Amino acid sequence: MSEMPHHAQVGYIVWAVLFAALFAWEGIGLLHPVDSYPTLSQAMGAAMRHQFGRWALFTAWLWFGWHAFVQNWHFLLRGPGPVG
């Protein structure tokens, strides 16, 4: 089994820290609702009240899905591509 490249490890750590910070922000906001900092769910609710906000969030969701999953996707049954 080969070692994971160092830049991949750093990338995974950065993503883990970002998601941990996001969940911590949401958790703190839900535990202390009297503070003036909105939670992610409150911000999404405010954006979803308007037609433009719904379209903007849908577009962002499609963009993220394309770049995260589809861009480097290969058909499962096709087999390995040319090496080189």
Side-chain angles (χ1 to χ4, degrees):
M1 187 159 73
S2 66
E3 284 284 321
M4 185 183 313
H6 179 68
H7 61 83
Q9 290 175 345
V10 171
Y12 289 136
I13 291 170
V14 168
W15 279 109
V17 168
L18 286 173
F19 277 110
L22 181 69
F23 288 130
W25 179 276
E26 184 76 13
I28 291 169
L30 292 173
L31 289 175
H32 303 288
V34 295
D35 292 340
S36 62
Y37 301 110
T39 63
L40 183 62
S41 55
Q42 290 169 339
M44 290 294 148
M48 295 287 281
R49 282 189 210 120
H50 307 285
Q51 183 76 22
F52 177 77
R54 288 191 292 270
W55 278 108
L57 288 174
F58 179 65
T59 304
W61 178 71
L62 285 177
W63 179 88
F64 176 76
W66 172 261
H67 287 281
F69 300 107
V70 178
Q71 188 174 13
N72 294 321
W73 182 78
H74 301 286
F75 185 60
L76 178 66
L77 301 175
R78 186 173 293 169
V83 177

